[in-house]
Amino acid sequence: MTPKSVSETLLERRSIRRYEYDPVPDEDMHFIFDAIRNTPTSYNAQQYSVIDITDPDLKEQLYKLTNQKQIKTCSHFLAFCADFNKIACAAKAKGAEMPEIYDTADGLILGTVDASLAMMSAVVAAGSRGLGTCCVGYARTAAPDEISALLRLPRHVYLVCGLAIGIPREQPDLKPKQPLSLIVHPDTYRQDDLTPDLLAYDSEVTAYNATRSGTRTDNDWVTHILGYYREALNYTMLASLRRRGFNPAK
């Protein structure tokens, strides 16, 4: 694997779903773990933990729950979790009262942001070593109770997102992203009509899907994303979070 520059790592990043059978070298994984460990977090509270999954049987079970093939074929599948269990354990050991931060929306956001930042640290670190990655958000929503049980997550810990890491067996085309005019707003949110830029991007995605290497589709961007949102209406994340000890009431 050829190391990449910062520019190549960030601007040529793509999701890799097919991997070689060779394992990722331990040296590369230690580098990725060190990058995760140095992630910036709110208050330096480090409200996240990572489960490093390499056991083939466990990856197979996760695949069956999610139907995401890259989970069982990657070398390492990292489960990034929001974690308030660690600070609760430390507070108990010191005889300090643990505020019920996990019963607030801000608590959920804190843990989710910390875990997400840690995952991005892993994505960049892996990419810089020439490795392939694929973020798997469906690991959070497919079967939250079953996956939490498989990973033996304690109370006040929940899965935010998964990350497949492996030696790339493919190099898919780069997907088009929204133009900077839709991403970066100077000083305040744009006050003009976003519609022309949005529809132009929608057309760009449609053309990409119709001409890309590999499987081609007639999907546009707007309809495709709305379809995901409709599916998400059937998720049961709130009930699962409450069973994990979170009850965001404010």
Side-chain angles (χ1 to χ4, degrees), residues 36-208:
I36 290 172
R37 182 169 170 262
N38 197 41
T39 295
T41 62
S42 299
Y43 317 118
N44 193 37
Q46 300 155 81
Q47 295 140 148
Y48 71 95
S49 289
V50 184
I51 314 297
D52 176 25
I53 303 165
T54 59
D55 179 78
D57 292 335
L58 183 53
K59 290 196 292 180
E60 178 70 27
Q61 292 179 73
L62 291 171
Y63 161 68
K64 289 180 179 178
L65 288 170
T66 62
N67 199 34
Q68 301 292 304
K69 190 173 182 180
Q70 62 269 36
I71 292 178
K72 70 174 181 177
T73 60
C74 67
S75 177
H76 290 252
F77 185 67
L78 305 185
F80 288 83
C81 303
D83 186 348
F84 291 97
N85 175 64
K86 292 187 292 186
I87 186 64
C89 288
K92 182 178 180 180
K94 296 193 70 171
E97 182 181 356
M98 175 66 187
E100 295 178 343
I101 185 66
Y102 33 74
D103 285 348
T104 69
D106 191 51
L108 286 175
I109 294 169
L110 283 173
T112 299
V113 169
D114 281 6
S116 300
L117 288 171
M119 185 175 69
M120 196 60 206
S121 293
V123 169
V124 174
S128 74
R129 294 295 178 102
L131 299 169
T133 62
C134 183
C135 301
V136 186
Y138 199 49
R140 175 185 66 256
T141 54
D145 292 326
E146 292 88 342
I147 290 177
S148 294
L150 274 178
L151 302 183
R152 297 184 176 183
L153 300 184
R155 193 169 175 80
H156 300 141
V157 177
Y158 64 91
L159 178 62
V160 173
C161 196
L163 181 69
I165 301 177
I167 299 173
R169 198 176 184 179
E170 63 176 0
Q171 192 71 0
D173 298 337
L174 276 173
K175 290 183 179 180
K177 301 296 184 181
Q178 293 179 10
L180 287 177
S181 63
L182 288 172
I183 299 291
V184 180
H185 303 238
D187 294 322
T188 65
Y189 199 95
R190 277 180 58 177
Q191 299 300 297
D192 61 322
D193 186 5
L194 303 180
T195 305
D197 287 353
L198 288 166
L199 294 182
Y201 175 67
D202 184 72
S203 297
E204 184 181 4
V205 172
T206 303
Y208 164 82

